Amino acid sequence: MPLVRIDLTTGRTPEAVRGIADAIHTAIVDVYGIPPRDRFQVITEHPAQQIIAEDAGLGFERTEGVVMIQVFTQRGRSDDAKQELYRAIHDRLAAAGVVSEDVFIGYVENGPQDWSFGFGRAQYVTGELGVPASA
């Protein structure tokens, strides 16, 4: 049940934006085996000058079509599983028309006590939800 924040530049059609969100979600479902309706995404569009994403010294240029993705999820997944997720997100975004250099992913881990799905309770702690198994 990752929470995914997607920041991208304005100018895409609503269908293209939804295609990007769907591609990211499909990758997470396929790699981590979460239920398809376990979907939490926040999509924010920005004017191009409000996203600064350089190459971190890797020697390439990004376009104004950059898609910055933050995945917030519970700790416990292996480095190999994370690498598989990064590849899957990249591949599905490429199929949606996002070029390789424009895919930026930040991955943030936390614990079951760090989530509340409503009603002022941490449902993983109270037992209302089972803590997902690590992949």
Side-chain angles (χ1 to χ4, degrees), residues 36-97:
R37 287 189 46 86
D38 200 351
R39 184 173 185 169
F40 301 92
Q41 295 177 313
V42 178
I43 303 164
T44 307
E45 294 182 85
H46 305 270
Q49 70 274 12
Q50 289 185 0
I51 294 182
I52 301 170
E54 296 181 352
D55 70 353
L58 295 170
F60 63 87
E61 295 296 323
R62 298 186 196 276
T63 74
E64 288 189 358
V66 67
V67 177
M68 300 188 82
I69 304 154
Q70 294 176 306
V71 178
F72 298 89
T73 191
Q74 290 196 42
R75 65 181 147 269
R77 293 186 174 93
S78 70
D79 289 347
D80 288 342
K82 294 173 193 176
Q83 290 288 327
E84 184 180 350
L85 179 63
Y86 303 154
R87 280 189 298 276
I89 290 172
H90 165 270
D91 293 349
R92 283 165 183 81
L93 286 177

Side-chain angles (χ1 to χ4, degrees), residues 24-40:
I24 295 166
H25 183 67
T26 299
I28 295 170
V29 168
D30 291 350
V31 174
Y32 284 175
I34 66 169
R37 287 189 46 86
D38 200 351
R39 184 173 185 169
F40 301 92

